[in-house]
Amino acid sequence: MDYIPVNTPLIGDLEKEKLIECIESGWISSEGPQVSEFENNFSKLVNRTYGIAVSSGTAALDIAVAALSIGAGDEVILPTFSIISCSAAIVRAGAKPVLVDSRLDDWNMDVEAIESKISKKTKAIMVVHTYGLPVNINPIIELSKKYGIFIIEDAAEMHGQFYFNEPCGSFGDISTFSFYPNKHITTGEGGMIVCNNKSISDRCKSLRNLCFQKEQRFVHKELGWNYRITSLQASLGLAQITRLESNVQRKREIGMRYYQNLRKNKNLILQMTETKYSQNIYWVFGMILNENFDKDAKHVMVELNKLNIGTRPFFWPIHLQPVFMNKGWFKGERYSNSEIMAKRGFYVPSGLTLSNDQIDYVCEKISTILG
Ligand SMILES: *Cc1c(COP(=O)(O)O)cnc(C)c1O
């Protein structure tokens, strides 16, 4: 079997057409009409009034935190099991990340652990929908009302996912997406902020574009970033949006095929296929080695690589990140589920171009390695 990479994006003729159209029009910067068209089309998909396209999902989180004026002295509650982008946005703003553990069944933040972490300093809860299933968000909305705190919703892995009947990305005061090539739709690099509030949207647009002023260009009252997206990327995005439904459907098929093949393996913990509010869209197909199994994820990943199978480890928890531990942060804090997930979790090829034969091959090899 040829090498099976962990992801290959699905890009076709429509993308080519849109890109050629964009190149021929000469509008290749962020000034082209494709950017606002992409923003409009995407924000409609997730029932939001405003969309602000940016250069990455990470950029979207930086802007989200800044747009809510979160800064020194503030705290933001988030799952320790998340990508560095989430904590980086909070830390760079001068605020403090306050952590909660995740669950071993849906792999999302433990919603019941949030309330005890709320303090007078809490400004926001950053919800990170993880690996295909949404966070149980209704109780978090209750908390946000009760304590008057914002919700930042990181929906980077959730294009096309719903919580009950509402799209993911429709719940935050600000919600963010990524269009990195391993997401359900891609623009190569890219991201999107969505919200319903005009002044928040204006602020995001300003922060994206260096906080240039209308009155006098090059005079700044605030610092922003150049987090603009190009029209070339937006053109890709416009084509990709038309694939969203079928991409999600295929991702579900891939996930369910892996699940059916592996569910009986006693050495594996798999993410729930569904919850009472959603059906897994399998951003990636991940697995956690049961603690009875005497080797960790690293070992299994090396073995799979020898068999031409690409893998990636799970997120590394925030409280174990050297960049924060070196500052003496999170000392003595333990989040046992997240630690298990980090050391014993990995994911296998999950891209949209994967064939069923490749999935079965991967499963066969996993079964051989794990017994
Ligand atoms: C991919 C991802 C991001 C970052 O997106 P980039 O576009 O790669 O910067 C942020 N949060 C989560 C949960 C992600 O999966």
Side-chain angles (χ1 to χ4, degrees):
M1 182 73 77
D2 287 340
Y3 186 76
I4 310 174
V6 82
N7 180 64
T8 316
L10 182 63
I11 294 171
D13 289 342
L14 187 57
E15 283 80 358
K16 272 187 213 162
E17 256 172 53
K18 288 271 182 200
L19 273 176
I20 290 169
E21 205 181 287
C22 178
I23 290 164
E24 288 180 344
S25 77
W27 288 106
I28 56 167
S29 75
S30 61
E31 294 287 322
Q34 293 89 347
V35 173
S36 49
E37 199 185 337
F38 181 43
E39 291 171 337
N40 291 338
N41 290 6
F42 190 81
S43 54
K44 269 196 205 102
L45 270 183
V46 292
N47 290 352
R48 302 306 294 249
T49 318
Y50 303 101
I52 302 95
V54 292
S55 51
S56 69
T58 303
L61 286 164
D62 281 345
I63 291 179
V65 170
L68 295 174
S69 301
I70 291 168
D74 297 332
E75 295 178 354
V76 178
I77 298 171
L78 81 164
T80 187
F81 187 76
S82 54
I83 191 169
I84 196 73
S85 314
C86 301
S87 48
I90 296 163
V91 172
R92 288 223 177 90
K96 184 180 160 199
V98 172
L99 309 177
V100 298
D101 204 359
S102 288
R103 300 169 54 99
L104 284 177
D105 55 4
D106 70 358
W107 301 357
N108 273 307
M109 70 195 295
D110 182 358
V111 175
E112 285 169 18
I114 296 174
E115 190 162 14
S116 67
K117 298 275 179 155
I118 295 175
S119 78
K120 288 210 167 63
K121 296 178 177 171
T122 308
K123 255 306 199 42
I125 300 169
M126 188 181 275
V127 172
V128 186
H129 304 297
T130 305
Y131 290 7
L133 283 173
V135 173
N136 185 13
I137 202 158
N138 278 344
I140 300 179
I141 294 171
E142 291 307 309
L143 290 175
S144 92
K145 286 185 190 148
K146 181 170 168 192
Y147 294 96
I149 49 190
F150 294 121
I151 295 176
I152 299 170
E153 183 188 11
D154 181 353
E157 305 168 2
M158 288 295 124
H159 325 73
Q161 178 60 293
F162 291 80
Y163 174 79
F164 290 110
N165 290 319
E166 312 271 347
C168 289
S170 67
F171 297 103
D173 293 279
I174 298 187
S175 303
T176 64
F177 286 89
S178 161
F179 303 113
Y180 191 70
N182 62 5
K183 314 296 182 181
H184 289 72
I185 57 174
T186 182
T187 59
E189 300 282 353
M192 183 86 74
I193 302 155
V194 293
C195 65
N196 293 338
N197 178 303
K198 171 92 166 55
S199 67
I200 289 179
S201 164
D202 288 347
R203 210 167 137 70
C204 290
K205 281 189 178 151
S206 173
L207 286 161
R208 162 180 76 175
N209 191 23
L210 297 168
C211 294
F212 278 123
Q213 302 276 316
K214 280 217 176 72
E215 307 83 66
Q216 177 143 15
R217 206 174 165 83
F218 302 113
V219 175
H220 300 263
K221 293 187 187 142
E222 203 185 353
L223 295 179
W225 294 272
N226 175 356
Y227 279 164
R228 301 182 301 254
I229 195 169
T230 67
S231 305
L232 292 162
Q233 291 164 301
S235 297
L236 271 178
L238 284 167
Q240 286 271 301
I241 282 179
T242 67
R243 296 183 189 275
L244 178 58
E245 230 170 283
S246 61
N247 283 5
V248 167
Q249 195 189 335
R250 179 61 191 151
K251 281 283 207 175
R252 282 195 165 125
E253 282 169 13
I254 292 171
M256 287 310 292
R257 192 172 185 99
Y258 271 122
Y259 181 80
Q260 292 303 346
N261 279 337
L262 297 171
R263 58 194 272 262
K264 297 231 171 78
N265 196 313
K266 292 210 166 54
N267 287 322
L268 289 176
I269 302 168
L270 304 177
Q271 193 179 27
M272 297 162 86
T273 58
E274 59 183 12
T275 59
K276 63 177 189 287
Y277 39 79
S278 68
Q279 205 197 331
N280 204 325
I281 58 168
Y282 292 103
W283 170 52
V284 291
F285 193 86
M287 55 197 80
I288 301 168
L289 299 166
N290 202 305
E291 297 214 83
N292 320 325
F293 187 70
D294 63 355
K295 302 211 173 63
D296 64 7
K298 241 182 217 158
H299 166 86
V300 176
M301 290 165 65
V302 167
E303 292 304 308
L304 286 170
N305 191 54
K306 288 183 197 157
L307 297 164
N308 271 351
I309 298 168
T311 56
R312 290 282 184 281
F314 272 13
F315 296 143
W316 197 252
I318 295 170
H319 69 286
L320 298 182
Q321 290 291 350
V323 62
F324 300 138
M325 289 170 85
N326 291 342
K327 298 181 205 271
W329 295 3
F330 312 121
K331 225 181 208 158
E333 293 182 34
R334 299 302 301 272
Y335 302 96
S336 56
N337 291 345
S338 300
E339 291 173 21
I340 291 169
M341 290 161 81
K343 288 171 188 148
R344 307 187 70 83
F346 64 98
Y347 65 88
V348 290
S350 317
L352 285 157
T353 59
L354 203 64
S355 71
N356 287 345
D357 285 347
Q358 287 175 313
I359 296 170
D360 296 345
Y361 172 81
V362 172
C363 292
E364 188 194 308
K365 297 304 168 193
I366 290 171
S367 301
T368 311
I369 295 166
L370 298 187

